[in-house]
Amino acid sequence: MSESKDFLRTIVEEDLQSGKYQEIITRFPPEPNGFPHIGHAKSICINFGIARDYHGHCNLRMDDTNPTTEDMKYVEALKDAVTWLGFSWADHVRFASDYFPKIYDYAVTLVKMGKAYVDSLNEEEIREYRGTIKEAGRRSPFAERSIEENLDLLDRMRKGEFKDGEHVLRAKIDMSAANMKMRDPLLYRIRHAHHFRTGDEWCIYPMYDFAHCLSDYIEGVTHSICTLEFENNRDIYDWVLDALDLTPPRPYQHEFARLGMNYTVMSKRKLLELVNGNYVNGWDDPRLPTIAGYKRRGYTPEAILNFCDQIGIAKANSMVDVAQLEFCIRDDLNQKVPRVMCVLDPLKVTIENYDGEEAIDASYYPHDVPKEGSRKLPFAREIYIERDDFMENPPADYYRLTPKQSVRLKHAYILTCKEVIKDTHGNIVELKAEYHPHSKSGEDTSGIKTKSAIHWVSAKHAKQAEVRLYERLYSNEAPDGLEDLNPDSLHVITNAFVEPAVITEKPDVRFQFERQGYFFVDPIDYTDAKPVFNKIVGLKDSWAKKTEAKEATPKSKAKKTPIVEGEVTPMSETEQALFTKYTKELGLNNEIANILARDVDLAHFYEETLLHVNSPVSLANIVANEVARELKLVATLKFSAKEIAELVTMVDEGTISTKIAKQVFEEMAKTGDNPKAIVAAKGLTQISDPAKLKPMIEEVIAKNPDNVAKYKAGNTNLFGFFVGQVLKKSGGKANPTVVNELVAEKLKNG
Ligand code: ATP
Ligand code: MG
């Protein structure tokens, strides 16, 4: 258990002490409509972690109440993720669909109590009758139906006598409740759809708000822990359980902040788009923030658990730097994995004064790691070194091999370059060199000074391997969409050479390739004939450095959203009213609405932008993100609300892409210039004209004949690559939709 107690554990302890519950029961309740991601890992750690710490248990329950999007393969992925993270659920996996009969019975009970009714308004009328945040709603005329009539209709809904949308079952609560969710919420809807578990048994399905609390109650859950966006649903949760007058004890809902991480997306919907659009290679693509992706890439469960522990549990939404996760995996592997040598970009070196072969005893771990072990490292006349470890005309601070500067071969001898051999184009193809017989590592009596040691492999003994290098999936810290995908997120090297000790028959093996980073035997594609390694993470501890730098400059420190432990302050009445207005009337998502509603300055600014252009969602995004960040940094903004409205209008009208808009915003913030002027001066107008885009596409196609051939041979995954290259070529100015169409056309017709 972590040292400091978080607010959830505080609640749990109080509830145990007061005798409210005898045993702590939690649950992890995913909807099986996608693979779980690192955000789910946080939820898994919280729910299973609390159950473990207080000797209770945690259920794994599929929230499978939406028949159209769910699938067994997602159930398997969820089970796998929980197990891999080292947790186990109580007995079998549960399914909300197993409770459909019971949940239906509860609905009948509510109807009999006069607390629920069958409504026959259509969707639009229901919305209209609900009212607004300023105005109370009106109750549907159908709410006056008698209990008998309601029972009869509900029964016939269940039997399939009605079409989708013809009737719904609603709770009879309060049409003027301040919390709009309490205005007679829907409990059941008709859905003639095949369910992956219950088949065609049901044609009515309970809504989340009805199914979730009851599933919790049925399982004897004590603490129903969910993310902040369900804050407003808590009232219904309580109402349903109270209205039914159930035998105690009953569960209570508690909310925590969801995990957000930069340089990636974290919603199943967006991940599904990447997978289905072949922008990545399946759900377990090592670039994705899915558990399956991290697992395949070579992350350890320990690293992810540590990360979840570090980020803590709080009540304020925060954005975590992905570098913190990278730090955790590096930290875990640093002491654990053997250090070996692999040359990624080989340059042949012939050691002219060396004949024969020897096997050098080379330790796997440096002195400061409390682990032992070594391998026999073959040394011979021909070796490969890294191409950039040699320079013919080096700058002054270059410490590696040059015609005038010797270098140490790690674990072996000192090497001096004698001759540089080039091809007809002037490219270096080989070095002739000499070694110093008395310079062997650990027994060096040569007296020769070197400034660095480089890695190498014996050409004859090394094995050719494929190495997959990964960069961040998005080039933008807060990606908006496909146009922010980093076109260079995957780099495949097919001609790397590894020393023999790296060849393994065991799966699940990790290495540090000296000076390169940490690598993992690809669990799917690795074969004896073709070893494949995934780069897990580089060696550099960039996060720690960045954090130090941030702390040194107070200005950028302000930028970082603090991770606050403890309860969030409840919203004031005004804030709550704004929040509801933003979510209900303007259609903002809860997170954005929460940011705006809780900050008077921001909310004012936002409302002012709205006076200029009616684009509430786009405006809210830029105000809650960019403007908010800027406000924290400077006392007075250099731009006006009107200018922000102008910027958003340019995006809405397709004059500039959202990516370019960010660039323009930076400029506005810096110089106070007008956005239109910036776009004109810098020539940033979005390019949608096919005549301008086609030459770029042709160039990209011409430059990548191999990928074109692979694409045509059936590797359609490469489509995203081509689109990305074109977007990059245009400096982010190309209209992604048009590029998509043109690339598709070009690849089809040649
Ligand atoms: P997404 O929005 O990514 O599709 P979701 O919330 O719809 O996720 P569910 O399958 O409903 O996903 O979530 C299962 C559990 O995981 C829920 O309790 C949910 O609150 C939690 N969860 C989902 N995303 C995150 C996150 N980013 N951080 C913390 N917990 C999360
Ligand atoms: Mg969801």
Side-chain angles (χ1 to χ4, degrees):
M1 203 196 304
S2 41
E3 295 281 308
S4 64
K5 218 183 316 143
D6 54 77
F7 76 94
L8 290 171
R9 283 176 168 82
T10 305
I11 293 171
V12 166
E13 284 185 16
E14 277 167 14
D15 287 349
L16 278 173
Q17 258 155 27
S18 72
K20 185 167 172 184
Y21 303 112
Q22 299 309 311
E23 189 197 358
I24 298 304
I25 305 178
T26 55
R27 84 288 171 265
F28 171 59
E31 185 181 356
N33 61 352
F35 273 51
H37 49 63
I38 185 89
H40 292 107
K42 176 174 179 180
S43 180
I44 290 170
C45 287
I46 291 174
N47 282 296
F48 285 92
I50 287 179
R52 178 200 56 207
D53 291 350
Y54 296 96
H55 312 291
H57 66 260
C58 177
N59 292 341
L60 172 60
R61 184 206 313 147
M62 301 298 148
D63 178 23
D64 57 345
T65 51
N66 183 5
T68 50
T69 53
E70 295 158 1
D71 197 284
M72 223 33 216
K73 73 173 176 227
Y74 301 130
V75 175
E76 291 306 321
L78 283 155
K79 284 161 66 179
D80 194 59
V82 172
T83 310
W84 185 70
L85 287 172
F87 295 108
S88 42
W89 50 88
D91 39 77
H92 56 278
V93 177
R94 328 265 166 145
F95 291 85
S97 55
D98 286 343
Y99 312 137
F100 283 169
K102 280 189 186 156
I103 294 172
Y104 181 78
D105 287 346
Y106 282 123
V108 171
T109 306
L110 279 183
V111 172
K112 285 184 182 159
M113 295 168 116
K115 293 178 181 174
Y117 59 94
V118 172
D119 194 3
S120 312
L121 293 180
N122 64 32
E123 220 182 306
E124 208 186 303
E125 288 163 335
I126 290 180
R127 201 175 314 122
E128 221 179 280
Y129 273 70
R130 187 170 288 134
T132 65
I133 182 61
K134 289 193 221 100
E135 264 169 75
R138 281 169 298 147
R139 188 157 265 157
S140 162
F142 298 104
E144 295 312 310
R145 281 173 171 150
S146 69
I147 290 176
E148 288 66 34
E149 191 184 353
N150 281 320
L151 285 175
D152 175 60
L153 283 170
L154 180 59
D155 183 50
R156 288 164 57 200
M157 275 167 69
R158 185 203 163 147
K159 285 185 178 137
E161 290 185 21
F162 306 113
K163 290 197 294 288
D164 284 9
E166 222 174 315
H167 305 287
V168 289
L169 182 73
R170 296 180 75 170
K172 201 174 211 168
I173 308 182
D174 179 2
M175 288 307 289
S176 53
N179 178 355
M180 302 263 299
K181 293 221 187 243
M182 292 293 276
R183 297 187 182 175
D184 290 11
L186 272 57
L187 304 181
Y188 263 97
R189 60 182 169 169
I190 301 174
R191 211 81 198 273
H192 289 274
H194 190 83
H195 185 281
F196 76 107
R197 294 188 76 245
T198 58
D200 298 318
E201 198 181 326
W202 294 88
C203 62
I204 57 172
Y205 290 92
M207 306 298 288
Y208 169 87
D209 281 321
F210 195 50
H212 201 83
C213 53
L214 287 171
S215 303
D216 283 346
Y217 176 75
I218 291 166
E219 290 179 5
V221 166
T222 55
H223 297 80
S224 180
I225 301 166
C226 64
T227 36
L228 276 178
E229 66 271 24
F230 292 99
E231 215 171 350
N232 283 338
N233 300 64
R234 195 198 316 134
D235 286 344
I236 312 182
Y237 191 101
D238 289 337
W239 184 91
V240 171
L241 297 184
D242 288 342
L244 283 164
D245 217 0
L246 302 164
T247 319
R250 51 152 280 203
Y252 285 88
Q253 179 183 305
H254 307 274
E255 308 91 20
F256 69 96
R258 65 192 288 124
L259 168 66
M261 203 162 68
N262 59 7
Y263 294 102
T264 194
V265 291
M266 198 113 75
S267 94
K268 282 181 285 183
R269 186 180 51 77
K270 288 187 182 156
L271 295 171
L272 192 69
E273 183 184 20
L274 293 176
V275 173
N276 285 348
N278 291 323
Y279 293 95
V280 294
N281 302 312
W283 282 105
D284 66 348
D285 188 302
R287 291 167 292 177
L288 288 179
T290 53
I291 307 298
Y294 289 118
K295 183 177 168 190
R296 178 148 186 200
R297 180 153 173 173
Y299 271 67
T300 56
E302 291 80 4
I304 294 191
L305 296 176
N306 268 338
F307 172 71
C308 291
D309 203 45
Q310 273 187 18
I311 56 177
I313 308 173
K315 270 233 163 202
N317 281 321
S318 61
M319 187 60 89
V320 174
D321 194 335
V322 62
Q324 191 172 349
L325 176 61
E326 289 163 0
F327 169 82
C328 288
I329 180 65
R330 198 179 287 118
D331 193 44
D332 185 39
L333 298 181
N334 181 34
Q335 306 264 320
K336 271 191 194 166
V337 305
R339 300 183 184 183
V340 295
M341 297 197 281
C342 167
V343 174
L344 294 177
D345 187 8
L347 173 63
K348 187 172 147 190
V349 179
T350 305
I351 306 168
E352 294 187 295
N353 61 341
Y354 189 92
D355 284 311
E357 269 173 48
E358 68 185 286
I360 298 170
D361 191 47
S363 163
Y364 274 135
Y365 305 96
H367 300 300
D368 59 339
V369 171
K371 266 187 105 159
E372 289 188 6
S374 65
R375 79 285 194 187
K376 291 289 179 205
L377 180 63
F379 184 75
R381 182 181 169 87
E382 287 182 351
I383 62 171
Y384 292 125
I385 65 168
E386 209 69 62
R387 189 163 284 278
D388 65 10
D389 281 341
F390 174 77
M391 271 184 97
E392 212 177 1
N393 303 301
D397 59 351
Y398 188 80
Y399 292 158
R400 296 168 263 170
L401 187 64
T402 76
K404 295 198 186 111
Q405 180 171 274
S406 302
V407 78
R408 170 167 300 285
L409 296 172
K410 178 102 193 171
H411 297 300
Y413 301 93
I414 292 175
L415 190 75
T416 302
C417 174
K418 289 290 166 194
E419 190 187 344
V420 181
I421 300 180
K422 297 181 181 173
D423 64 13
T424 50
H425 304 290
N427 299 317
I428 300 172
V429 290
E430 189 186 338
L431 302 178
K432 304 277 188 201
E434 273 181 5
Y435 87 114
H436 299 270
H438 301 294
S439 67
K440 195 166 172 187
S441 218
E443 336 170 342
D444 184 359
T445 55
S446 72
I448 303 168
K449 292 267 169 291
T450 54
K451 287 188 176 151
S452 68
I454 60 172
H455 59 277
W456 56 277
V457 293
S458 156
K460 181 170 151 195
H461 303 89
K463 174 113 183 160
Q464 192 171 354
E466 177 173 317
V467 176
R468 300 174 182 168
L469 307 177
Y470 305 103
E471 295 289 330
R472 287 172 182 164
L473 184 55
Y474 289 90
S475 17
N476 193 321
E477 188 171 357
D480 268 340
L482 297 173
E483 74 272 16
D484 288 332
L485 280 171
N486 172 8
D488 301 317
S489 58
L490 170 63
H491 183 56
V492 180
I493 294 174
T494 50
N495 190 35
F497 285 95
V498 293
E499 61 164 288
V502 178
I503 299 308
T504 175
E505 272 158 26
K506 282 178 291 177
D508 218 21
V509 185
R510 296 171 183 84
F511 297 98
Q512 181 186 123
F513 290 170
E514 299 262 13
R515 300 173 65 222
Q516 305 281 16
Y518 296 96
F519 291 80
F520 185 54
V521 165
D522 185 88
I524 310 225
D525 296 335
Y526 187 99
T527 61
D528 284 347
K530 190 182 87 167
V532 178
F533 298 92
N534 294 322
K535 180 165 177 179
I536 307 168
V537 69
L539 294 173
K540 208 172 56 184
D541 185 2
S542 48
W543 181 66
K545 283 203 199 108
K546 226 161 77 186
T547 320
E548 276 166 29
K550 269 188 186 166
E551 263 145 33
T553 52
K555 192 175 168 201
S556 46
K557 196 178 170 189
K559 233 175 176 175
K560 209 173 162 196
T561 324
I563 298 173
V564 189
E565 296 253 0
E567 292 280 343
V568 77
T569 17
M571 282 193 186
S572 70
E573 248 173 64
T574 336
E575 286 168 354
Q576 183 63 49
L578 277 181
F579 179 84
T580 315
K581 169 178 158 195
Y582 292 164
T583 48
K584 295 288 141 13
E585 283 172 38
L586 301 180
L588 308 189
N589 72 36
N590 290 5
E591 248 165 82
I592 296 277
N594 186 45
I595 295 173
L596 294 176
R598 284 177 183 275
D599 186 329
V600 201
D601 290 346
L602 266 192
H604 274 152
F605 191 92
Y606 174 55
E607 307 246 333
E608 213 185 315
T609 59
L610 278 172
L611 299 175
H612 296 282
V613 51
N614 183 22
S615 183
V617 175
S618 313
L619 284 171
N621 281 333
I622 194 163
V623 174
N625 293 304
E626 269 76 14
V627 177
R629 189 159 10 93
E630 196 58 24
L631 258 183
K632 282 191 195 143
L633 292 173
V634 297
T636 36
L637 295 172
K638 290 208 167 173
F639 47 79
S640 64
K642 179 160 175 265
E643 282 169 326
I644 293 297
E646 279 175 25
L647 179 64
V648 164
T649 306
M650 283 193 278
V651 177
D652 287 349
E653 286 172 354
T655 316
I656 56 173
S657 65
T658 45
K659 195 187 172 101
I660 293 293
K662 295 227 164 101
Q663 194 181 322
V664 175
F665 176 82
E666 298 296 325
E667 193 69 22
M668 289 165 66
K670 215 164 63 193
T671 62
D673 288 347
N674 175 278
K676 282 187 193 149
I678 295 170
V679 170
K682 302 205 161 194
L684 296 175
T685 309
Q686 176 158 266
I687 311 174
S688 304
D689 180 359
K692 293 210 179 97
L693 293 171
K694 276 185 179 159
M696 295 184 208
I697 293 171
E698 264 150 34
E699 201 180 322
V700 167
I701 300 264
K703 261 200 186 151
N704 294 284
D706 291 358
N707 281 344
V708 174
K710 280 187 209 153
Y711 179 86
K712 293 202 167 147
N715 187 351
T716 48
N717 286 344
L718 285 163
F719 187 75
F721 162 81
F722 293 116
V723 173
Q725 291 293 313
V726 177
L727 294 181
K728 194 178 165 199
K729 186 154 225 22
S730 72
K733 287 188 282 181
N735 180 330
T737 319
V738 182
V739 172
N740 253 295
E741 284 165 16
L742 293 174
V743 168
E745 193 179 298
K746 175 79 189 160
L747 286 170
K748 201 165 130 224
N749 306 326

